[in-house]
Amino acid sequence: MPKLGMEPIRREALVKATIAEIGQAGSLDVTVAQIARRAGMSSALAHHYFGGKDQIFLAAMRHTLSLYGAEVRGALVMAHGPKARVEAIIRAGFTHSNFRREVVAAWLNFYVLAQSDDQARRLLAVYQRRLHSNLVYNLRPLVGARSAEVAVRIAGLIDGLYLREALSKEVPSGDDATRQVLTALAHEITQADREPLV
Amino acid sequence: MPKLGMEPIRREALVKATIAEIGQAGSLDVTVAQIARRAGMSSALAHHYFGGKDQIFLAAMRHTLSLYGAEVRGALVMAHGPKARVEAIIRAGFTHSNFRREVVAAWLNFYVLAQSDDQARRLLAVYQRRLHSNLVYNLRPLVGARSAEVAVRIAGLIDGLYLREALSKEVPSGDDATRQVLTALAHEITQADREPLV
DNA sequence: GTTTTTGTTGATTGACGAGTCAATTAAAAA
DNA sequence: TTTTTAATTGACTCGTCAATCAACAAAAAC
């Protein structure tokens, strides 16, 4: 039955199945056979297309990351003005879709992987730098020269609240977290207004 | 050679070895044999005292957690006045010792485990609640009724900055992170001074 | 119509690892 | 002194899993 051009289809199916399996297990403790079965093929085929388990994981991570990136970009095109843009970035991180089991699991295990796997760490750095420069750029009109510093706090707060929300409740509320970050942002802006020359 | 009363000694050695192995691997992907060898005993003995791998991990997590708790408590007794106490809590999270390889690995894998293991999740909740109420209590004189809300932001910022610092650089700087959180705290206090009645 | 290329899998290998158990040692209790 | 109890391990079982490979199927190229 070899229909041609199966490779991209198989790869995508495997990536999705990988994310689903990781989400179900909560860890990277999933076998190639499980992934392949969910993707509707033999484990040998998974090895054939990806070469090894690590490659499959990396591809899954890249996919999760790019979904997040797309979400941020999508939110940004609909936002006009610096404040709306910063708010869009914040909101994008706490979307319902970002709190799905699989996505949380992907992120947490991504962090774990980043300790030992250089490729994972680099991927993470890319995402963080993009988010950071996005924030810095749009914060400048709001908080002036302190922009870079403020961006660190906002980004850190996003990550920290995401982590807490994802782990503490069964049904995470992105709205609570969003409100918290927006409040912090408001403080930063107020602060800037008090020291307009700094 | 059965000297009596070996159990607590063996347990402690196993817990320490577990943390060290997790730190070296960066993940929970360590074998009981590895742990036991590092602790200077056979793997059978590890099973004898702990019953299984999961129990060993849980004990290691509890140990890491209690070390952190002790650090916070130690910092608190030397701090007088609400502001100094809040600052002490913040500083305690970014100590050099908290950025050691093994400790970072323990925390990250703890988060991963908390998704699927109920005991781990409960342990994490305990730590978070303690930190939260500590913050709320000491923040009240500083920010009044907003205390609870502010505590969420401070705690979130601590976690987020810790995560970023631990993963982005090879040599994490607790000082940078501490400064960032203290600045955020200053903003919150300023904000409180502007709305003294709320 | 033959050959090459792409897709596909069952079967197998080789390694590893968690947990068990019977057996050994020596201290302590009786 | 005999017996119980704690400490300890080597050897073994049973299962799992990543990775490989030979072989087969069908479309495309020649």
Side-chain angles (χ1 to χ4, degrees):
Chain A
M1 310 134 182
K3 307 143 194 171
L4 273 260
M6 286 269 79
E7 176 154 1
I9 296 169
R10 294 303 199 186
R11 290 186 96 98
E12 193 189 327
L14 282 169
V15 163
K16 285 189 176 167
T18 302
I19 293 171
E21 285 293 327
I22 291 176
Q24 189 173 329
S27 70
L28 300 185
D29 221 352
V30 294
T31 71
V32 175
Q34 280 170 2
I35 294 170
R37 185 166 359 108
R38 187 186 283 255
M41 70 193 81
S42 74
S43 68
L45 199 52
H47 276 100
H48 174 65
Y49 281 128
F50 275 96
K53 213 182 170 184
D54 303 351
Q55 308 298 316
I56 303 183
F57 282 156
L58 256 285
M61 295 303 178
R62 256 181 249 119
H63 189 252
T64 303
L65 232 11
S66 84
L67 281 187
Y68 173 72
E71 202 158 0
V72 172
R73 250 175 289 123
L76 276 179
V77 295
M78 309 215 294
H80 297 301
K83 194 169 177 193
R85 282 168 162 272
V86 173
E87 289 190 14
I89 294 173
I90 293 168
R91 278 181 214 284
F94 297 115
T95 304
H96 177 66
S97 70
N98 277 319
F99 281 114
R100 284 199 318 256
R101 245 189 158 56
E102 322 106 63
V103 178
V104 171
W107 276 105
L108 293 186
N109 284 289
F110 195 17
Y111 288 145
V112 167
L113 206 58
Q115 290 172 103
S116 54
D117 186 312
D118 242 37
Q119 265 191 280
R121 177 180 287 228
R122 253 175 281 141
L123 262 179
L124 194 59
V126 166
Y127 139 73
Q128 285 180 342
R129 242 175 285 138
R130 250 207 303 250
L131 179 63
H132 181 74
S133 61
N134 242 329
L135 282 173
V136 170
Y137 178 77
N138 290 295
L139 278 171
R140 182 146 303 134
L142 302 174
V143 302
R146 287 166 53 253
S147 176
E149 211 198 334
V150 173
V152 171
R153 287 194 287 271
I154 298 292
L157 191 53
I158 291 174
D159 284 5
L161 289 181
Y162 177 81
L163 193 62
R164 284 175 162 253
E165 203 71 29
L167 286 181
S168 55
K169 307 176 190 169
E170 349 290 308
V171 187
S173 160
D175 292 349
D176 284 356
T178 304
R179 216 171 303 127
Q180 292 288 345
V181 184
L182 290 182
T183 304
L185 174 63
H187 292 179
E188 297 283 0
I189 293 174
T190 301
Q191 206 69 19
D193 292 343
R194 307 187 98 203
E195 321 166 355
L197 297 181
V198 181
Chain B
M1 311 131 184
K3 309 145 195 170
L4 274 262
M6 285 270 71
E7 176 155 0
I9 296 168
R10 294 304 198 185
R11 288 186 99 99
E12 193 190 326
L14 282 168
V15 163
K16 285 189 177 167
T18 303
I19 293 170
E21 283 294 326
I22 291 176
Q24 189 173 328
S27 70
L28 300 185
D29 223 350
V30 292
T31 72
V32 175
Q34 279 170 3
I35 294 170
R37 184 161 2 106
R38 186 185 285 254
M41 70 195 80
S42 75
S43 68
L45 199 51
H47 278 101
H48 175 64
Y49 281 128
F50 276 97
K53 213 180 169 183
D54 304 351
Q55 308 299 316
I56 302 182
F57 282 156
L58 256 285
M61 295 303 178
R62 256 182 249 118
H63 189 252
T64 303
L65 231 12
S66 83
L67 280 188
Y68 174 72
E71 202 156 3
V72 172
R73 249 175 289 122
L76 276 179
V77 295
M78 309 218 293
H80 298 302
K83 195 168 177 195
R85 283 169 161 272
V86 173
E87 288 190 14
I89 294 173
I90 294 169
R91 279 180 214 283
F94 297 116
T95 303
H96 177 67
S97 70
N98 277 319
F99 281 116
R100 284 200 316 256
R101 244 190 155 57
E102 324 107 60
V103 178
V104 171
W107 277 104
L108 294 185
N109 284 289
F110 194 19
Y111 289 144
V112 166
L113 206 58
Q115 290 170 103
S116 55
D117 186 311
D118 242 37
Q119 266 192 281
R121 176 179 290 229
R122 252 176 281 141
L123 261 180
L124 194 59
V126 167
Y127 139 73
Q128 285 181 341
R129 242 175 285 136
R130 248 205 307 247
L131 180 63
H132 180 75
S133 61
N134 243 330
L135 282 173
V136 171
Y137 178 77
N138 289 296
L139 278 170
R140 181 144 306 133
L142 301 174
V143 303
R146 287 166 55 252
S147 175
E149 210 199 334
V150 173
V152 171
R153 288 195 286 273
I154 297 293
L157 191 52
I158 290 174
D159 284 4
L161 288 182
Y162 178 80
L163 193 62
R164 287 176 160 252
E165 203 70 30
L167 286 180
S168 55
K169 309 177 190 170
E170 349 290 309
V171 187
S173 161
D175 292 348
D176 284 357
T178 304
R179 217 170 302 128
Q180 291 286 346
V181 184
L182 291 182
T183 304
L185 173 63
H187 293 178
E188 297 283 1
I189 294 174
T190 301
Q191 206 69 19
D193 292 342
R194 307 187 96 201
E195 320 164 356
L197 299 180
V198 181

